[in-house]
Each structure stands twice: as C-alpha cells, then as structure tokens.
Amino acid sequence: RAKSAAERSLAEVASWTWRFTRASAHTFALPQTPRKVAVRVWSFGTHCSVAVEPIATVSTLWPQEFALEVVWRGTSDYCEFHRNEGGWPTIQSDRDSAVKQVLEQYTARGMKQWQWVDEKYQVSEHGIHFVTPSSFESDFRRALDDEGAAFW
C-alpha cells in the first residue's frame, strides 16, 4: 500500500509543468483558477520540533498553494505545546502506533545537554538517544509495514 501511494505521489509530481520567464527561471505554472493542492504528509520525529518544522515551513511559505493533512508519528504528549502557532496543522501526540512502540523500545531518555537558563548554563536531561540503532532500523521498517492505511 505504501509503495503504491508513493508511486502515485511521484507520478503527480512528475506531471507538474514549469514555465520559464525573465523574472524567474523557476516559476511554477499554476492553473488559471488557483486552488489549494491537498497534500498528505506522514511526519515522524524523535522531538516535537523535528516533526513540526517541515510542516510549519510548507504552511508558512505556501499557505495559498497547499492544504496539508498530517499523520504525526513518534511525538509525545508535550508536543501539543506547539498547537496553534502560525496556522499550520496542529501537532498531535502519538500514543500507541506501531512506530511509537518501536521508538519507545529503542530509545533512552536523559541525554544530558547544556542549556542557558536564568542567565547561566545548567545541565538539562531533555533529550533521547538510540540504544541500539541497527536493531531500531530493522524493527522500524517492520513498523512502517504495520502502519498500513495511516502511512498511505
């Protein structure tokens, strides 16, 4: 299913045409009556910002061109802090997807990092790291297959 969805998406992109003008060598040729193109995105991130940045960027740069529909994977409860910032699709926490289960199984919290807080550096334990990256990869690929319709 995911493979056929990806092939359909690539075929759609391949059908786009570009017109070249003196003003810009890379101007996208829009239809006479502009309409938002519906784009379905499967977003995975180990941190909220990683997951939301590409979505926020597309929504901010091309608000009239694209209508994004997003499936969020790997996100935590606190990621919903990002809601309603800038008009892009609201990030949702991923509570029990196959991908989230694999992420939780192969990561550990508490990676120490320095942060500037109250005008001084303090050690923060906000962060995760992969315990066994190669094992994560193989199980992650299996989880993508389990995603089925959510992965489109």
Side-chain angles (χ1 to χ4, degrees):
R1 239 197 250 244
K3 183 178 178 185
S4 65
E7 287 170 349
R8 285 193 309 274
S9 295
L10 288 173
E12 182 178 56
V13 171
S15 73
W16 294 350
T17 59
W18 297 84
R19 94 177 152 219
F20 298 94
T21 65
R22 289 183 191 193
S24 169
H26 303 290
T27 303
F28 185 68
L30 294 174
Q32 293 296 342
T33 53
R35 63 175 175 81
K36 285 188 175 186
V37 175
V39 178
R40 300 175 91 184
V41 179
W42 190 92
S43 178
F44 172 76
T46 56
H47 290 80
C48 314
S49 300
V50 173
V52 81
E53 283 301 325
I55 306 306
T57 301
V58 170
S59 295
T60 301
L61 293 176
W62 299 287
Q64 302 305 315
E65 289 81 5
F66 299 107
L68 300 181
E69 182 181 331
V70 183
V71 171
W72 303 98
R73 291 295 183 258
T75 52
S76 299
D77 292 342
Y78 57 82
C79 291
E80 293 181 10
F81 166 79
H82 290 279
R83 67 180 16 176
N84 298 323
E85 292 181 12
W88 50 79
T90 301
I91 191 166
Q92 301 292 317
S93 63
D94 177 6
R95 289 180 171 77
D96 62 355
S97 73
V99 170
K100 178 68 171 188
Q101 291 171 19
V102 171
L103 180 65
E104 293 293 326
Q105 180 182 352
Y106 287 100
T107 56
R109 301 206 179 278
M111 186 173 78
K112 294 186 183 332
Q113 59 190 23
W114 289 96
Q115 287 185 324
W116 184 254
V117 179
D118 295 329
E119 300 189 27
K120 62 183 174 186
Y121 280 105
Q122 296 180 359
V123 174
S124 167
E125 292 191 359
H126 174 78
I128 66 169
H129 62 279
F130 289 97
V131 179
T132 53
S134 59
S135 297
F136 167 77
E137 180 187 1
S138 61
D139 284 356
F140 184 78
R141 288 178 186 275
R142 278 193 287 279
L144 290 177
D145 289 338
D146 292 344
E147 283 284 292
F151 192 64
W152 297 307

